[in-house]
């Protein structure tokens, strides 16, 4: 158990819908990262927050957004969902940016 | 531009033998390197890391070697066990420059044959 929690574990929705994925980092970790993994491919970095502020952006679509709250938990919002958004979404946390990241168990999103 | 590369998508090894997973990087500013292990439908699990001031770090059956001049690192697993069958990702960071993130390779699927 990495100490990073993600909810929900599974999510099934329809095209055009909007969903919110939630992540609670390890206690003491200030940095949160979101990744997407599609069809056994590599980890695609989406976005990073550090102590409430956006710190780095990766291959994140404009339909996707995220935020980190004062209690350091983070939410990833996916809107106007398409079939191709079906993937595993992982959250990771670290004490400081660039350091060892600890991953949550992921949310499996299926868009029908 | 893939700054961290794992050129072997898969590797099969007999139980009890050595598994060697390789990783190359292009950014000379990288100074911190990690290996993660991932089972299907689970999050990656941190395995072992190495700082650029060292060329070897060992933790039980796992040893990571770093060759800075060649921009190459490898993970050795000895002896390999069936439970080691998973996808292994290497990752790198430039901590010395205040880097924000880890750069991940595309992964190598290790299969340990009983």
């Amino acid at each position: 158990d990495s100490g990073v929690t993600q909810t929900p574990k599974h999510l099934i929705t329809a095209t055009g819908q909007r969903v919110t994925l939630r992540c609670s980092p390890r206690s003491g970790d200030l940095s949160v990262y979101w990744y997407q993994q599609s069809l056994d491919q590599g980890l695609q970095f989406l976005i990073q927050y550090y102590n409430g502020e956006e710190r780095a952006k990766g291959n994140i679509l404009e339909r996707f957004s995220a935020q980190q709250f004062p209690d350091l938990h983070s939410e990833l919002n996916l809107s106007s969902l398409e079939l191709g958004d079906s993937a595993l979404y992982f959250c990771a946390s670290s004490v400081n940016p660039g350091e060892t990241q600890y991953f949550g168990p992921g949310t499996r999103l299926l868009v029908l | 531009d893939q700054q961290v590369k794992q050129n072997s998508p898969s590797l099969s090894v007999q139980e009890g033998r050595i598994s060697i997973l390789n990783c190359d990087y292009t950014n000379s500013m990288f100074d911190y390197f990690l290996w993660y292990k991932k089972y299907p439908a689970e999050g990656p699990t941190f395995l072992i890391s190495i700082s650029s001031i060292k060329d070897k770090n060992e933790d039980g059956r796992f040893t990571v070697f770093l060759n800075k001049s060649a921009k190459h690192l490898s993970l050795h697993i000895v002896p390999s066990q069936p439970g080691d069958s998973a996808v292994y990702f290497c990752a790198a960071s430039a901590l010395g420059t205040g880097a924000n993130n880890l750069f991940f390779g595309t992964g190598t699927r290790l299969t340990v044959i009983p």
Side-chain angles (χ1 to χ4, degrees):
Chain A
D1 184 359
S2 67
V4 179
T5 61
Q6 289 186 249
T7 56
K9 197 170 176 60
H10 302 278
L11 198 49
I12 302 175
T13 188
T15 54
Q17 296 297 305
R18 171 190 166 97
V19 296
T20 297
L21 312 183
R22 184 188 167 103
C23 168
S24 292
R26 292 187 322 156
S27 177
D29 284 0
L30 300 178
S31 206
V32 169
Y33 312 77
W34 286 97
Y35 293 87
Q36 180 192 58
Q37 186 185 29
S38 304
L39 290 172
D40 248 5
Q41 293 180 10
L43 294 162
Q44 296 294 320
F45 168 65
L46 295 177
I47 197 165
Q48 178 207 359
Y49 282 82
Y50 177 69
N51 206 17
E53 294 188 4
E54 183 185 304
R55 192 71 179 254
K57 256 185 176 178
N59 300 321
I60 188 166
L61 300 171
E62 284 193 17
R63 301 183 284 110
F64 296 1
S65 65
Q67 57 184 128
Q68 187 180 27
F69 295 87
D71 68 352
L72 301 177
H73 91 271
S74 178
E75 291 180 357
L76 178 67
N77 300 296
L78 315 177
S79 61
S80 303
L81 284 167
E82 302 174 359
L83 295 177
D85 297 327
S86 296
L88 270 168
Y89 291 84
F90 291 106
C91 168
S93 72
S94 67
V95 176
N96 292 306
E99 296 181 352
T100 302
Q101 294 178 19
Y102 295 88
F103 283 78
T107 293
R108 181 175 289 279
L109 173 67
L110 181 59
V111 182
L112 300 175
Chain B
D1 180 29
Q2 191 76 23
Q3 298 188 53
V4 178
K5 300 176 185 177
Q6 294 176 257
N7 293 318
S8 298
S10 63
L11 174 69
S12 291
V13 171
Q14 289 285 341
E15 181 179 3
R17 307 294 286 265
I18 184 171
S19 294
I20 300 176
L21 298 109
N22 293 305
C23 179
D24 297 294
Y25 60 96
T26 57
N27 189 340
S28 58
M29 300 306 293
F30 286 151
D31 55 9
Y32 184 59
F33 305 88
L34 309 89
W35 284 95
Y36 285 85
K37 172 181 177 180
K38 185 182 182 303
Y39 292 117
E42 291 185 13
T45 301
F46 168 68
L47 263 182
I48 191 169
S49 63
I50 187 168
S51 163
S52 60
I53 62 172
K54 301 174 77 173
D55 54 18
K56 176 183 173 182
N57 189 25
E58 200 169 342
D59 183 2
R61 297 186 297 114
F62 301 91
T63 302
V64 55
F65 295 91
L66 175 63
N67 182 334
K68 289 185 289 292
S69 61
K71 294 193 180 67
H72 177 84
L73 66 154
S74 60
L75 176 69
H76 292 209
I77 307 174
V78 183
S80 301
Q81 300 173 354
D84 296 328
S85 296
V87 177
Y88 289 78
F89 291 96
C90 67
S93 175
L95 284 179
T97 61
N100 286 314
N101 197 21
L102 295 177
F103 292 84
F104 283 86
T106 52
T108 297
R109 181 180 301 278
L110 172 66
T111 302
V112 179
I113 303 164

